[in-house]
């Protein structure tokens, strides 16, 4: 009937055909989803299940298969959807576990999520968020399970999956599933990822410029082999409890943080402008209680951590840890012993020795790691002209208190609301679909990071290389009290 929402089923594939005018009611969507497992035939893809999931469901994630380390125990689904879980063979000895979440409120947009660290963890919170916004979303485990690098040992295929193949494979398969299920191809394709996910976004832009129309890449793990060397070098700097150089987490790092703020005008808007002098905290001669000051050896260690890291040839390996990140960095790096992500990279790839001791790390090891660069995982190619020429849009951001990947590395790579100004993902969508390139994106900080307690302050984040400058200090919590210059 003219003007009605005709509902059709493709007899050959038993999937939805939404080309008429709208998506079908829940009962038809449920039927199409339940048929998908038996009807879907894609090379190298085994569908484990295809289940209809109603809005409001709190999906529990299995903690088996080394997945307990991922930290994703559940995710609340905010839109009725079809959840498809699958295994995709990537080679004769590697493959990816992936899921596609296909919402009833599909907007015609496709999105892939990324990963983090060395993790083989599907980012369920990202799938739930983006599917709720109407994206047909796919996420994968990056070729292995869990947050350790054990699977890299003696298997370069798994390393290749981790470098880029898992993401690209998931995109190719996810787009096919989306088209077969809805009966029409996506209109625009997007990517969302942070940390390793940020690196994956750039790697996709470099290697597969047609995969996405818009990419949101946060805190990218650029220069990946050197990042692992940088992460490793903190352990020899600080050592273990009892060493002269060791600075325990907690009170003393709080003293250091307060001194950093004092030396940097009480507020670190741009860490590049903050040059901390740790000797200001050096204990006076004869001090017996060093709970509020640093020994000479500790001063040297703190200075080394906040200094650019150079190699045997005198070239920069990785920029310094930015000041202001101490609360997190002290727990992850400085007082925690060997950092597992980086030590695993060296044990199972660089050195190929599971008994390698990260305390023995030197800049000579960093040189070996940099020269290896398997599958160009460094992702250090500044030429993204193919992506740009295809009309692709890339938004790259990096938090200025990044404690795992220093924000001072991002400028070296040249290239909460549904309001697009206040939602960085929808800001990319607006840019791709309406041509509205962002000059700023507004961020919000809640009191104690708790939304229910209200807004602490807002800030318009400037487009690099502009910096935020406070022009009205009395109103520093308000976005319009700052200017990009």
């Amino acid at each position: 009937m003219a003007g009605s929402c005709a509902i059709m089923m493709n007899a050959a594939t038993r999937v939805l055909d939404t080309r008429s005018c709208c998506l079908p009611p829940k009962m038809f969507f449920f039927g199409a989803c339940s048929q998908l497992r038996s009807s879907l035939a894609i090379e190298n893809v085994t569908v484990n299940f295809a289940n209809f999931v109603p809005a409001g469901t709190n999906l529990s994630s299995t903690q088996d298969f080394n997945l307990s380390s991922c930290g994703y125990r559940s995710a609340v689904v905010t839109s009725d959807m079809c959840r498809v879980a699958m295994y995709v063979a990537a080679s004769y000895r590697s493959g990816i576990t992936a899921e596609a979440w296909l919402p009833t409120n599909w907007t015609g947009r496709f999105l892939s999520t990324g990963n983090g660290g060395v993790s083989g963890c599907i980012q369920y919170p990202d799938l739930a968020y983006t599917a709720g916004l109407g994206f047909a979303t796919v996420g994968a485990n990056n070729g292995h399970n869990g947050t350790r690098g054990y699977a890299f040992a003696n298997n370069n295929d798994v390393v290749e999956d981790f470098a880029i193949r898992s993401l690209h494979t998931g995109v190719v398969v996810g787009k096919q599933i989306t088209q077969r299920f809805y009966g029409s191809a996506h209109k625009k394709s997007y990517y969302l990822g942070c940390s390793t996910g940020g690196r994956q976004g750039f790697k996709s832009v470099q290697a597969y410029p047609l995969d996405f129309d818009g990419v949101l890449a946060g805190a990218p793990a650029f220069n990946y082999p050197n990042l692992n060397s940088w992460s490793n070098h903190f352990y020899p700097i600080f050592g273990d409890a009892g060493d002269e150089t060791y600075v325990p987490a907690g009170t003393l790092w709080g003293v250091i943080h307060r001194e950093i703020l004092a030396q940097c005008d009480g507020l670190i808007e741009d860490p590049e402008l903050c040059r901390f002098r740790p000797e200001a905290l050096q204990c006076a001669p004869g001090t017996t209680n060093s709970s509020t000051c640093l020994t000479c050896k500790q001063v040297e260690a703190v200075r080394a951590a906040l200094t650019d890291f150079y190699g045997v040839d005198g070239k920069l390996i990785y920029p310094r840890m930015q000041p202001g990140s101490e609360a997190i960095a002290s727990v992850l790096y400085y007082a925690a012993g060997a950092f597992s992500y980086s030590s695993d990279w060296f044990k199972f790839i660089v050195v190929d020795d599971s008994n390698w001791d990260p305390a023995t790390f030197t800049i000579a090891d960093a040189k070996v790691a940099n020269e290896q660069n398997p599958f160009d995982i460094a992702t250090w190619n500044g030429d993204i002209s193919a992506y740009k020429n295809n009309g692709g849009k890339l938004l790259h951001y990096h938090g200025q208190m990044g404690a795992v990947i220093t924000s001072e590395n991002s400028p070296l790579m040249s290239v909460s609301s549904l309001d697009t100004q206040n939602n960085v993902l929808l800001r990319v969508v607006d840019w791709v679909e309406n041509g509205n390139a962002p000059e700023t994106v507004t961020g919000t900080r809640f009191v104690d990071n708790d939304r229910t307690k209200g807004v602490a302050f807002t800030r318009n984040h400037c487009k690099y290389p502009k910096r935020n400058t406070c022009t009205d200090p009395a109103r520093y919590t308000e976005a319009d009290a700052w200017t990009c210059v």
Side-chain angles (χ1 to χ4, degrees):
M1 292 177 58
S4 68
C5 293
I7 300 164
M8 300 179 289
M9 294 291 291
N10 185 310
T13 59
R14 299 292 293 172
V15 296
L16 297 178
D17 190 329
T18 62
R19 289 170 290 184
S20 52
C21 67
C22 68
L23 290 173
K26 184 182 297 187
M27 60 179 293
F28 290 94
F29 194 91
F30 177 88
C33 182
S34 64
Q35 293 292 320
L36 191 59
R37 177 178 181 181
S38 59
S39 65
L40 194 63
I42 300 176
E43 186 178 6
N44 297 323
V45 176
T46 300
V47 178
N48 296 323
F49 64 79
N51 296 335
F52 175 78
V53 182
T57 300
N58 190 348
L59 281 177
S60 297
S61 304
T62 179
Q63 301 300 295
D64 297 330
F65 312 108
N66 296 324
L67 294 175
S68 59
S69 60
C70 293
Y72 303 134
R73 295 188 174 275
S74 63
V76 177
V77 175
T78 59
S79 174
D80 292 342
M81 70 164 188
C82 180
R83 180 191 182 194
V84 184
M86 70 203 89
Y87 175 81
V88 185
S91 73
Y92 75 94
R93 58 175 183 169
S94 74
I96 67 173
T97 298
E99 293 197 18
W101 289 21
L102 309 169
T104 57
N105 61 330
W106 187 48
T107 58
R109 299 175 181 131
F110 173 85
L111 183 142
S112 175
T113 63
N115 302 89
V118 296
S119 74
C121 304
I122 296 175
Q123 306 288 92
Y124 286 107
D126 290 348
L127 264 70
Y129 175 67
T130 54
L133 292 176
F135 293 86
T137 302
V138 65
N141 75 337
N142 223 13
H144 66 283
N145 285 336
T147 59
R148 298 299 301 268
Y150 305 129
F152 297 149
N154 303 312
N155 194 333
N156 281 339
D157 285 332
V158 175
V159 178
E160 183 175 2
D161 292 339
F162 177 72
I164 183 58
R165 186 165 56 187
S166 173
L167 174 61
H168 177 64
T169 300
V171 169
V172 172
V173 171
K175 288 180 176 179
Q176 292 182 65
I177 292 174
T178 297
Q179 181 167 2
R180 294 190 186 190
F181 185 71
Y182 291 110
S184 60
H186 64 279
K187 296 175 183 177
K188 296 293 181 182
S189 176
Y190 296 92
Y191 175 79
L192 169 68
C194 183
S195 187
T196 281
R199 183 198 62 77
Q200 289 171 301
F202 269 89
K203 186 67 173 175
S204 180
V205 164
Q206 295 166 9
Y208 299 101
L210 300 180
D211 275 3
F212 301 111
D213 299 294
V215 168
L216 177 59
F222 285 140
N223 212 357
Y224 191 74
N226 281 358
L227 170 61
N228 278 301
S229 293
W230 177 77
S231 300
N232 255 314
H233 97 296
F234 293 116
Y235 184 34
I237 286 175
F238 289 103
D240 296 306
D243 292 340
E244 289 184 304
T245 52
Y246 186 74
V247 182
T251 302
L252 196 50
W253 277 106
V255 172
I256 296 169
H257 179 67
R258 288 190 292 274
E259 178 62 25
I260 287 175
L261 293 179
Q263 290 187 24
C264 298
D265 300 323
L267 178 65
I268 303 177
E269 173 60 32
D270 187 344
E272 290 184 3
L273 302 179
C274 178
R275 298 291 158 176
F276 175 55
R277 297 175 58 255
E279 57 269 23
L281 287 174
Q282 187 162 328
C283 300
T287 300
T288 57
N289 180 4
S290 59
S291 61
T292 58
C293 60
L294 301 176
T295 66
C296 180
K297 292 292 186 180
Q298 289 174 326
V299 167
E300 292 174 357
V302 171
R303 182 186 294 111
L306 299 178
T307 299
D308 293 342
F309 183 39
Y310 289 91
V312 294
D313 56 1
K315 294 181 179 179
L316 180 70
I317 294 176
Y318 225 73
R320 65 172 186 160
M321 176 66 81
Q322 74 272 23
S325 61
E326 300 74 41
I328 299 174
S330 62
V331 176
L332 290 178
Y333 284 144
Y334 306 152
F339 187 57
S340 63
Y341 293 177
S342 299
S343 61
D344 282 358
W345 185 260
F346 274 82
K347 286 180 179 180
F348 302 118
I349 295 178
V350 179
V351 182
D352 192 21
D353 179 0
S354 61
N355 295 315
W356 178 75
D357 182 0
T360 66
F361 172 82
T362 69
I363 56 176
D365 297 314
K367 182 176 185 294
V368 174
N370 183 56
E371 291 173 346
Q372 283 179 336
N373 189 25
F375 305 103
D376 195 23
I377 198 170
T379 316
W380 206 230
N381 175 12
D383 182 6
I384 58 173
S385 57
Y387 180 71
K388 179 181 179 181
N389 293 339
N390 189 53
K393 312 299 183 189
L394 169 65
L395 198 157
H396 165 201
Y397 70 91
H398 203 134
Q400 296 293 282
M401 203 184 76
V404 179
I405 305 171
T406 176
S407 63
E408 296 196 11
N409 189 57
S410 276
L412 300 181
M413 180 66 180
S414 300
V415 253
S416 43
S417 157
L418 296 185
D419 178 356
T420 56
Q421 178 62 24
N422 296 276
N423 185 304
V424 69
L425 173 59
L426 297 185
R427 198 71 183 89
V428 174
V429 171
D430 188 39
W431 186 14
V432 169
E433 299 180 10
N434 302 314
N436 297 323
E439 288 297 322
T440 64
V441 176
T442 302
T444 301
R445 172 67 180 264
F446 297 101
V447 176
D448 297 330
N449 290 324
D450 185 344
R451 182 184 294 268
T452 64
K453 294 183 179 181
V455 174
F457 60 85
T458 57
R459 191 71 48 79
N460 291 324
H461 301 297
C462 308
K463 184 169 69 174
Y464 186 83
K466 291 184 177 180
R467 288 187 168 100
N468 249 328
T469 300
C470 187
T471 53
D472 189 353
R475 299 171 51 249
Y476 73 94
T477 61
E478 300 177 32
D480 61 2
W482 296 77
T483 303
C484 295
V485 294

